[in-house]
Structure formats: structure tokens, C-alpha cells
Amino acid sequence: MSSTTRARIRVLADAVADQIAAGEVVERPASAVKELVENAIDAGATRVRISIEHGGKTLIEVSDDGSGMDREDAVLALERHATSKISAAADLVGVSTFGFRGEALPAIASVSRFTLLTAEADAIATEVRVTGGRVDHVGDAARQRGTTVTIRGLFFNTPARRKFLRSVGSETRAVGEAVMTLALAHPAVGFELIADGTTRLGIPPAQGASERLASVWGRELAGTLIPLQFAAGAFALEGFVQRPADARPTGRRAQLFVNGRPFRDHFLVRAAEAGYRSAIAPGDRPSLFLDVRLSPGDVDVNVHPAKLEVRFRDRIGLERTIEDAVRHALGELVASASVGDWRPMPGEAARPVWDPRGGEQRPLQTGAERAGIPGRDLFDPLGQPAGQPPAEEARFGAALHHLFDTYICFESPEGLVMVDQHSAHERVLYEQVMEQLQQGGAPSQRMLLPITLELNDEELDAVEVHRDALSRVGFEVEPFGGRSVILHAVPAPHPRFDAERCFREMIADLSGGRFAGWANRLERFAATYACRAAVTGGAPLGEREMRELLHRLFRTSLPPHDVHGRATIVQLSREELERRFGRR
Ligand SMILES: Nc1ncnc2c1ncn2[C@@H]1O[C@H](COP(=O)(O)OP(=O)(O)OP(=O)(O)O)[C@@H](O)[C@H]1O
Ligand SMILES: [Mg+2]
């Protein structure tokens, strides 16, 4: 082997290293905005103005009235690992500034056309211009105290990365979300966000925490929150949680902070939800705002490239404390509520209400009826007509028994068969929807009264991403300015179908983690739809509906479990029965 073919370890050129770092620190315009605003806040700004064009793809500009930099620092700031905030690794413990790596500015400058304009009080300003990491110009300029960073053509020299940017609407929303989070963390600082010339956020400086919450999340949502204050062991918690009666399956906002620093943690949000116990329906997602205070040595903030996650020394203890704190804040409210309490949404009765047991039941009002579709039973809807020969019914035995309004039981030549009605229906719908998605549209029903829904940013993204699939199954959705969408038409897979609820839950699933592991987007969509549209356990079914459901189930080609891997069919074989009764 000749030595010339041997691979060698090479120290990367700085420019390449910066571009790699940029990939971790700056993923999209919103992450650049986050870094720049954090720098502004670290510099003691009282007002920060953010302006973007085309979702930040063409322009991002962040101006502050903070300390500014002198010329030497302005040039130094663009060098990798140049930071004024820490000088030794030990300083990382308990670091109180947002920045500490000295990585953000050089990383951003390496993948954009970058201008830094900065001035200390009563000093001549400095302008530094950088193109793709190369400093082109350093010179005098005019500016009052503070700093303006302008980024044009983000990722102009890394097309692979540029390709991953989402639509303008989606990137704009992500920037808005990032600014809102920072605004919540810093009630004293004023924020202004301008997108394509329009003011999207105008948040005045010097607000108190709850005042700030109302300006950022809106008075309406803020009005449904109650304060929380709790301390146990090493943790002190402060914040707000939503009243159980106001929790909904979608539109939730959840914001966590540790010692004032925003972070994300799905499991801690879950812990807070656990504190609601049975006070909310299983699909409801309460809004919450929690600041965890603990000794800085008990949390590591340097575990995520974009500082979005943190690590706790005692996370089990923290989860337990959060759950206790929520329960404590809700107090009496939780003790008195129970699962299955039906409570109408304000101003409507869209959720199905079931008559008490007996006979062929009908919901008082279903989504389908609300959409102007007269009540029918589960299977004579807009789907294919059933039309099965009577002989085939014999296959399911003469007698069907409905156990707990959830399991359909019958005798087969092999033994006793029990079918879970929800998972069976889910399988049937899943196949049907996959077919519709591949072959084109399903019939839908126009709403007599279109439904307007208020969604959060992730949900709006989910609607945008799945717009085509939604319309293929029959949901005709139209954006309606701000965070609202209008549902003009909905599918009607069966008359007990509550279109609005199904839509909300689907969007929540698609935007959350529930089906995130599904690689194929259409399959994921179909599974979400099937799960949400299927008749639930506990719903009384008529005999005809049960027979038809079985009939369709046994014509599907899916494996004998539902989309979540739970069993659809359980059999008790003749042999098993005989063994149990000692006949064998
Ligand atoms: N808006 C600003 N006003 C004043 N000084 C700034 C501003 N932005 C950056 N600086 C200075 O430039 C340095 C480099 O900023 P940069 O964001 O790259 O690193 P950092 O904030 O120290 O760490 P991190 O990479 O974790 O953000 C900062 O340490 C700070 O001294
Ligand atoms: Mg920084």
C-alpha cells in the first residue's frame, strides 16, 4: 500500500468548520433570529426590533439598543469561539447569559451575506461586512449606541441546506414563535417583529410576567390560566396552568423555562398533564407556562447545539414535583371532576352525546348532522354500499353479543371470537383512506355553516403540509388570516362522525409526536384519520352495524392489529376452552 493512498486526518479549514457548526446552530431563519435576539438581550437591550422578508430567506435584520461593541470586539466577535461571556469551562456551570460558545455570529456569517453595524455610547460606529465567512470590509459608519445585524441570502452558499427551508408562511411562523418565546422569557424587553413590511408583533417593554403573557398569547387564552406556585426539595416552580374546563385537544401553548431560560421537554409537559388526572378528557391538551427554579449546578444547559434542550440532574424528582405542583394549583377543581364528564364546548354542542343504553341509539347531534347529513347507521354512508349476501353473514354465527358496548363477540368454527370495535373500524377506514389517497378524492359534505378554527403554529404547519391529503379524504380547509382556518367541507365516513373534533385531533396528532415514527407520510396521515374517525369503544352499535363492521373487517388485508399495534381480534379457541374446563 503506498502512503499516498492513506487517508489522513486533516484539520478543517476554518471556513468549513464554521459551515458545519452553522448546520447545528442555524437550521432555519428562526434559529438565526433566536441567536441574534439572545445576543441583543445579553448586551442589555431594552428594545429589540426584528425585520424579515420572505420568511427570513432573503432578509433578517435584528437591531438593539444594547451596549454595542468597539471596533476590536466587532471584528473579534466574528471569530470562532470568541465570546465575552465565559473564559473557562468552569464558567459554564451557572452561566446566566444566553450565549457562551462564541459560535453563533461566525456560524451565521459563514452561510450568508452578513453585515454587523455596531456602536458603543458616543463612539464612532463600526461596520463589518462578511460574505460566506470572508471579511470584505471593516470601516467607520454612523449609528447610535447598539447593534444591527443584517443577514441576506441565508444559506446562499450551502444549497443543500437552503433546499430544506419550508414555505414563506411556515418560516415566518417559526420566526414568530421564536420571538414569542424570547418575549415570554424577558418581560422587561420590548419586541417588534416586522414580516414583509407588516408588523406581526408589537410587545411593549417593561411589562410584568402575567401582563407579558397576555400580550404574547392573547388575552383570551391568558384569561383561562390560573397561577401556580410550588416548592419541594431542590425545586421551586412558578407559572400558570389552564383551567381544566378550558383545555382542548388543539391550540395548546406550552412553555417551559429553567431559571428563566426557555427550553423544550416533552416529558415534563406530560408530567404537568398527569397533574390534571381525570379532570380533562384524554385527548385534551392544557396550556401551561412553567418556570423551574433550581440551583444552577443541578442543570446542564450546554447539551443541545441550539440550546433548545437542557439536562437535569434529578429529572425523576422534577417530573414528580411538576405533577404535584399542577395538582396543587388546580386544587379542588381536580378532586370534583371525573372521566367522561360531558361538558359542552362554549356555544356549541358538537361533541356527540349518547342516549343512555337501550335500543338503536343515535347521538343527539353528530358532526355529520351538523354538516347537514341526516342520521344513518354506521355503514350506509357515502362509502361503498355494503350489499353483502346473507349467506356471508352466517360466517359470524347466528348470534352476536355486544360486550361493554366495545367488543363484538360471536362463535366461529374455531371458537369464541372477540373483536374490538374501535380498532376494527380503524382498520376498515385505514384501508379505505389509503385507497382514496392513492386514487383521488372521497366524497365530502359541504358544511351549511363553515367551521372556523383557531390553531397554533405547529398545527398550521401540519395543515399546510397535509393540505392535499386532507382534501383527498374530504376536508376542504382554507387559511383565514392569522391563525384561523375555515373548514368548508368535511368527510362523512359514518353519521356518528364528529368532523370538527376529528379534524382537531388529527391535526394535533400530525403536528405532535403521536405518529412521528411513521416514515411514509400518506400512511401516517391515513392512520391518523382512521384512528380519529373510527367509532370509539363504549359506543352502542346496532346489530346491523356490527354485522357490517365484521363483514368489512374480514375483507381488509391488514394484519390482525390496529395502527398502533394493539390487537383487533382475540380468539378463544375450542381447545383452549376444553382445556380450561378440564375436558382435555
Ligand atoms: N447585539 C450585540 N451587542 C453587543 N455585543 C454583541 C452582540 N452580538 C454579539 N456580541 C458580542 O459578540 C460575541 C460573539 O457573539 P456570538 O453570538 O457569536 O457568541 P456568544 O453569544 O458569546 O455565544 P453563543 O455562540 O453561545 O451565542 C458575544 O460574546 C458578544 O460579546
Ligand atoms: Mg450569542
Side-chain angles (χ1 to χ4, degrees):
M1 192 169 68
S2 94
S3 64
T4 50
T5 59
R6 236 184 79 217
R8 282 180 185 280
I9 295 175
R10 230 186 305 263
V11 174
L12 294 174
D14 272 359
V16 180
D18 283 343
Q19 283 186 11
I20 292 171
E24 301 200 316
V25 178
V26 209
E27 182 200 354
R28 58 195 300 195
S31 22
V33 167
K34 170 176 174 292
E35 293 295 340
L36 297 180
V37 173
E38 287 181 350
N39 281 348
I41 293 170
D42 282 346
T46 63
R47 285 174 187 273
V48 183
R49 183 177 179 277
I50 303 112
S51 172
I52 59 169
E53 276 167 24
H54 300 104
K57 294 180 194 185
T58 52
L59 174 85
I60 299 170
E61 187 168 272
V62 176
S63 306
D64 67 59
D65 61 355
S67 64
M69 285 175 268
D70 64 18
R71 180 145 316 169
E72 197 183 333
D73 279 353
V75 174
L76 206 56
L78 289 158
E79 274 180 31
R80 197 135 183 251
H81 302 306
T83 177
S84 55
K85 300 169 194 172
I86 62 169
S87 54
D91 295 348
L92 265 180
V93 176
V95 64
S96 64
T97 51
F98 277 121
F100 46 75
R101 305 159 307 187
E103 200 150 76
L105 291 187
I108 296 169
S110 74
V111 290
S112 66
R113 298 187 179 88
F114 181 99
T115 309
L116 172 67
L117 176 61
T118 186
E120 294 184 309
D122 307 317
I124 295 177
T126 299
E127 187 182 53
V128 184
R129 288 200 294 264
V130 185
T131 307
R134 200 188 63 239
V135 178
D136 299 329
H137 168 88
V138 179
D140 288 351
R143 195 203 190 284
Q144 302 218 304
R145 193 188 91 142
T147 302
T148 300
V149 172
T150 310
I151 300 167
R152 290 177 207 279
L154 184 63
F155 301 137
F156 80 96
N157 53 350
T158 50
R161 208 159 277 290
R162 198 173 56 229
K163 262 207 323 249
F164 277 99
L165 294 179
R166 307 272 290 273
S167 68
V168 167
S170 178
E171 296 298 345
T172 304
R173 280 196 295 276
V175 169
E177 201 62 35
V179 174
M180 283 165 73
T181 299
L182 289 156
L184 287 174
H186 296 275
V189 181
F191 291 86
E192 194 183 1
L193 170 63
I194 297 149
D196 298 312
T198 314
T199 301
R200 295 294 187 100
L201 289 171
I203 302 170
Q207 294 186 307
S210 62
E211 219 185 317
R212 175 54 58 101
L213 196 57
S215 2
V216 176
W217 282 0
R219 305 227 160 258
E220 197 184 330
L221 177 55
T224 68
L225 304 177
I226 53 178
L228 171 152
Q229 229 171 2
F230 192 79
F235 308 107
L237 296 176
E238 224 174 279
F240 300 89
V241 288
Q242 195 166 32
R243 274 190 229 103
D246 294 307
R248 296 284 172 270
T250 53
R252 88 105 64 95
R253 295 201 155 272
Q255 184 67 61
L256 301 173
F257 303 88
V258 55
N259 296 338
R261 181 188 292 274
F263 71 105
R264 291 194 304 219
D265 193 317
H266 183 62
F267 293 101
L268 295 185
V269 171
R270 275 289 167 81
E273 286 169 2
Y276 281 79
R277 295 224 160 139
S278 55
I280 52 172
D284 284 345
R285 298 278 170 263
S287 290
L288 47 106
F289 176 96
L290 283 183
D291 189 8
V292 181
R293 298 270 160 187
L294 42 61
S295 141
D298 287 345
V299 57
D300 186 354
V301 295
N302 189 29
V303 297
H304 186 277
K307 300 176 208 154
L308 297 175
E309 289 163 17
V310 301
R311 190 177 295 141
F312 294 99
R313 227 159 51 134
D314 177 14
R315 83 161 292 127
I316 310 261
L318 179 57
E319 285 183 17
R320 200 174 314 127
T321 308
I322 288 181
E323 186 178 336
D324 289 348
V326 171
R327 191 166 318 135
H328 180 259
L330 301 177
E332 307 277 283
L333 293 166
V334 169
S336 61
S338 73
V339 197
D341 270 0
W342 181 76
R343 45 194 167 69
M345 311 246 276
E348 61 174 345
R351 297 185 180 195
V353 189
W354 305 95
D355 285 333
R357 312 182 132 264
E360 177 81 335
Q361 277 120 17
R362 294 222 171 276
L364 297 182
Q365 191 192 29
T366 64
E369 278 162 357
R370 206 170 160 214
I373 306 161
R376 281 173 309 254
D377 64 11
L378 203 52
F379 286 106
D380 96 291
L382 304 159
Q384 310 82 16
Q388 82 277 26
E392 193 142 0
E393 282 184 19
R395 198 170 143 197
F396 310 123
L400 289 183
H401 182 72
H402 203 192
L403 185 63
F404 310 134
D405 281 341
T406 299
Y407 310 103
I408 306 169
C409 312
F410 60 90
E411 178 189 332
S412 82
E414 287 80 40
L416 175 63
V417 182
M418 288 159 281
V419 173
D420 180 300
Q421 70 192 35
H422 171 71
S423 91
H425 197 196
E426 198 175 86
R427 273 183 66 183
V428 169
L429 289 175
Y430 178 80
E431 285 221 336
Q432 191 180 317
V433 167
M434 277 309 281
E435 212 165 286
Q436 286 164 0
L437 287 174
Q438 274 148 10
Q439 293 170 7
S444 68
Q445 289 291 310
R446 289 201 80 75
M447 305 294 280
L448 295 181
L449 299 167
I451 301 176
T452 308
L453 299 171
E454 190 69 16
L455 303 178
N456 71 22
D457 290 348
E458 278 157 24
E459 292 159 359
L460 284 170
D461 276 356
V463 169
E464 195 173 297
V465 169
H466 297 280
R467 182 94 160 264
D468 180 51
L470 283 166
S471 98
R472 278 171 190 243
V473 300
F475 284 108
E476 212 178 282
V477 205
E478 186 193 44
F480 187 58
R483 299 201 148 84
S484 309
V485 295
I486 302 186
L487 266 183
H488 286 293
V490 298
H494 59 87
R496 299 174 188 214
F497 181 66
D498 182 340
E500 176 180 340
R501 189 170 175 95
C502 172
F503 180 80
R504 282 187 168 278
E505 291 175 340
M506 276 178 71
I507 295 306
D509 289 349
L510 291 167
S511 65
R514 200 170 142 87
F515 287 85
W518 290 57
N520 181 313
R521 196 147 64 82
L522 281 189
E523 283 175 7
R524 172 178 157 169
F525 181 86
T528 313
Y529 175 76
C531 174
R532 294 313 188 174
V535 67
T536 55
L541 296 180
E543 162 120 19
R544 197 181 105 79
E545 289 174 305
M546 291 195 274
R547 282 193 190 283
E548 182 59 27
L549 178 56
L550 293 176
H551 179 73
R552 292 187 183 225
L553 175 66
F554 289 104
R555 279 194 314 209
T556 60
S557 56
L558 292 171
H561 50 71
D562 71 5
V563 299
H564 309 287
R566 287 188 303 251
T568 303
I569 302 170
V570 170
Q571 288 212 48
L572 201 52
S573 69
R574 187 171 193 154
E575 292 77 51
E576 172 74 8
L577 277 172
E578 287 176 346
R579 206 176 47 74
R580 293 214 180 186
F581 284 111
R583 287 175 178 271
R584 283 199 168 209

